[in-house]
């Protein structure tokens, strides 16, 4: 359920509304994160002439606050600029300017030669998202209202949970707004996480169409605390990365653990044939339940993990996890030890 980070203005409504798939039950249709640029424009001023220094990704929000629309537009990819004029950018931004007297950083992810940055306004009801390629060309830009669920945000699991893996992993989706965690929109997955492994800013090495190229693939997945195994799927084929996903079996190979107190762990997208437990097994915290895979509605090897109040992923509601050591995993952060 690793949803693509390819959100662009080009080809969809300009700002204020989400582009692309809204997802749904088992939603998430991603591939290798962060899209590449079509072409990098030459730096130019507001009128297209006169070189100016290119913005660094972290400077974009402030540039918009200061009305540097020409500078921002000039740094968009060629395709982006062909779909969105500088005047359109200015018109839309001016409409929301009063709601965003400032922007605060909510995420800054650098992965696979791309950048994905998110800012929120002071009351966190408005979000600004931008994607960049390796040359800092702007490939996506979006402003959208952010829903919040303060009641459930404050309701943590009764039990504390450990990390469900060994070594150092990267939070691809995690947090409490839809721009840093696309699951947040759906009550059944609201506090879910997608975890990958990275090295030197990449989630893979070599051929990106082979599962074995991804650092997460085949890594041990652990029980986050003791419990009883109540559901296992182990026969779903792993997808070819960046290819067609299995929407008929969105969780793919999965292990569900009943921890008592109405709390169930879901460890999804496991490698076919790798599950090491069976229904009825009592397992201890840290036991290996299977290996990370790319099965189900997944386009890149990763672990989808959440705690829900029912055994059925699509009937229950996700619960915000109380982690050991008071962790609060957010998009773009590293967890665990090397």
């Amino acid at each position: 359920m690793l949803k693509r980070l390819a959100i662009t203005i080009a080809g969809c409504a300009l700002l204020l509304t989400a582009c692309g798939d809204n997802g749904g039950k088992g939603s998430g249709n991603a591939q290798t994160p962060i899209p590449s640029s079509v072409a990098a424009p030459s730096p130019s001023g507001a009128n297209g002439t006169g070189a100016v220094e290119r913005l660094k990704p972290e400077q974009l929000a402030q540039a918009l606050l200061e009305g540097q629309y020409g500078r921002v537009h000039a740094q968009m990819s060629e395709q982006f600029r062909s779909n969105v004029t500088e005047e359109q950018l200015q018109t839309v931004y001016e409409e929301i300017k009063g709601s965003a007297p400032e922007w605060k950083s909510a995420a800054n992810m650098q992965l696979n030669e791309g950048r994905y940055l998110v800012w929120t306004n002071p009351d966190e009801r408005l979000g600004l998202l931008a994607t960049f390629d390796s040359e800092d060309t702007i490939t996506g830009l979006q402003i959208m209202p952010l829903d919040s669920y303060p009641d459930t945000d404050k309701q943590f699991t009764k039990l504390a949970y450990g990390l469900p893996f060994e070594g150092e992993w990267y939070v691809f989706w995690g947090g409490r707004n839809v721009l840093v965690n696309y699951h947040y929109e759906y009550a059944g997955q609201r506090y879910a996480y997608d975890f990958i492994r990275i090295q030197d800013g990449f989630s893979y090495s070599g051929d990106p169409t082979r599962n074995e190229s991804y650092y997460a693939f085949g890594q041990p997945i652990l029980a986050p605390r003791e419990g009883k195994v109540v559901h296992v799927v182990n026969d779903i084929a792993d997808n070819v990365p960046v290819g067609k996903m299995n929407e008929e079996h969105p969780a793919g190979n999965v292990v569900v653990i009943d921890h008592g107190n109405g709390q169930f762990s879901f460890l999804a997208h496991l490698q076919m044939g790798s599950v090491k437990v069976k229904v009825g097994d009592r397992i201890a915290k840290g036991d290996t339940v299977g290996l990370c895979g790319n099965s189900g509605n997944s386009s890149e090897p990763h672990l989808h993990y959440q705690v829900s109040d029912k055994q059925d992923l699509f009937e229950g509601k996700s619960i915000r996890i109380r982690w050991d050591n008071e962790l609060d995993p957010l998009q773009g952060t590293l967890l665990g030890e090397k």
Side-chain angles (χ1 to χ4, degrees):
M1 303 175 189
L2 194 66
K3 193 177 180 71
R4 179 185 297 185
L5 295 184
I7 303 176
T8 64
I9 293 178
C12 67
L14 175 64
L15 307 179
L16 296 178
T17 58
C19 309
D21 179 23
N22 282 330
K25 178 176 175 179
S27 67
N29 54 352
Q31 61 167 12
T32 304
I34 303 183
S36 298
S37 170
V38 177
S42 301
S44 64
N47 60 2
T49 61
V52 296
E53 184 179 357
R54 286 165 66 85
L55 293 164
K56 296 178 180 178
E58 294 84 356
Q59 297 174 322
L60 175 66
Q62 186 61 34
L64 288 171
L65 283 173
E66 295 173 359
Q68 300 183 42
Y69 305 115
R71 189 178 182 189
V72 171
H73 189 262
Q75 200 162 321
M76 293 177 177
S77 68
E78 183 177 351
Q79 180 184 11
F80 202 162
R81 288 183 288 120
S82 69
N83 283 272
V84 178
T85 67
E86 179 185 335
E87 290 73 20
Q88 287 175 312
L89 173 65
Q90 179 174 350
T91 297
V92 174
Y93 191 81
E94 291 291 332
E95 289 180 358
I96 60 89
K97 194 171 183 179
S99 299
E102 61 179 300
W103 294 107
K104 59 180 181 179
S105 176
N108 187 344
M109 186 159 58
Q110 185 166 359
L111 186 65
N112 298 341
E113 295 189 320
R115 295 284 295 276
Y116 178 94
L117 292 90
V118 175
W119 298 264
T120 58
N121 71 334
D123 63 8
E124 298 186 353
R125 294 184 180 180
L126 197 64
L128 168 64
L129 175 154
T131 57
F132 296 79
D133 71 1
S134 60
E135 297 179 342
D136 290 346
T137 300
I138 302 167
T139 56
L141 187 62
Q142 183 179 12
I143 298 174
M144 64 179 290
L146 299 177
D147 292 329
S148 64
Y149 303 92
D151 290 341
T152 54
D153 285 354
K154 297 174 183 177
Q155 296 175 6
F156 289 81
T157 56
K158 299 174 183 177
L159 307 171
Y161 292 78
L163 295 174
F165 41 69
E166 298 175 338
E168 191 176 66
W169 289 63
Y170 191 76
V171 183
F172 189 92
W173 289 115
R176 289 170 296 284
N177 73 59
V178 73
L179 293 181
V180 299
N181 187 7
Y182 90 91
H183 306 100
Y184 190 73
E185 182 178 358
Y186 312 106
Q189 300 182 44
R190 181 158 296 148
Y191 303 105
Y193 295 88
D194 283 345
F195 297 111
I196 62 174
R197 295 201 72 175
I198 64 171
Q199 292 185 25
D200 301 320
F202 281 82
S203 62
Y204 66 93
S205 176
D207 184 354
T209 66
R210 299 181 67 251
N211 283 311
E212 293 78 10
S213 297
Y214 290 80
Y215 299 117
F217 191 72
Q219 293 297 309
I221 301 303
L222 314 180
R225 65 170 296 119
E226 68 277 3
K228 180 181 178 180
V229 178
V230 293
H231 182 63
V232 168
V233 176
N234 195 29
D235 60 354
I236 305 297
D238 290 284
N239 304 317
V240 175
V242 200
K244 185 178 180 179
M245 294 169 291
N246 188 342
E247 296 182 359
E248 293 184 8
H249 304 281
N253 301 305
V254 62
V255 171
V256 182
I257 306 169
D258 182 355
H259 303 291
N261 292 289
Q263 297 179 20
F264 300 84
S265 277
F266 290 81
L267 301 132
H269 307 311
L270 302 177
Q271 184 178 338
M272 183 174 68
S274 74
V275 175
K276 303 180 184 301
V277 296
K278 62 183 183 299
V279 173
D281 284 353
R282 300 290 308 186
I283 56 177
K285 180 178 181 179
D287 284 352
T288 299
V289 300
L291 304 179
C292 183
N294 189 30
S295 59
N297 200 26
S298 170
S299 60
E300 173 178 331
H302 73 287
L303 172 66
H304 173 101
Y305 176 63
Q306 68 178 81
V307 175
S308 294
D309 62 2
K310 290 186 179 180
Q311 179 177 330
D312 188 301
L313 180 62
F314 303 115
E315 291 183 359
K317 292 184 179 180
S318 175
I319 311 171
R320 187 175 174 189
I321 298 171
R322 179 159 62 91
W323 294 94
D324 288 346
N325 302 317
E326 299 182 349
L327 292 175
D328 185 16
L330 300 173
Q331 184 184 67
T333 59
L334 290 167
L335 298 173
E337 299 179 356
K338 290 185 178 181

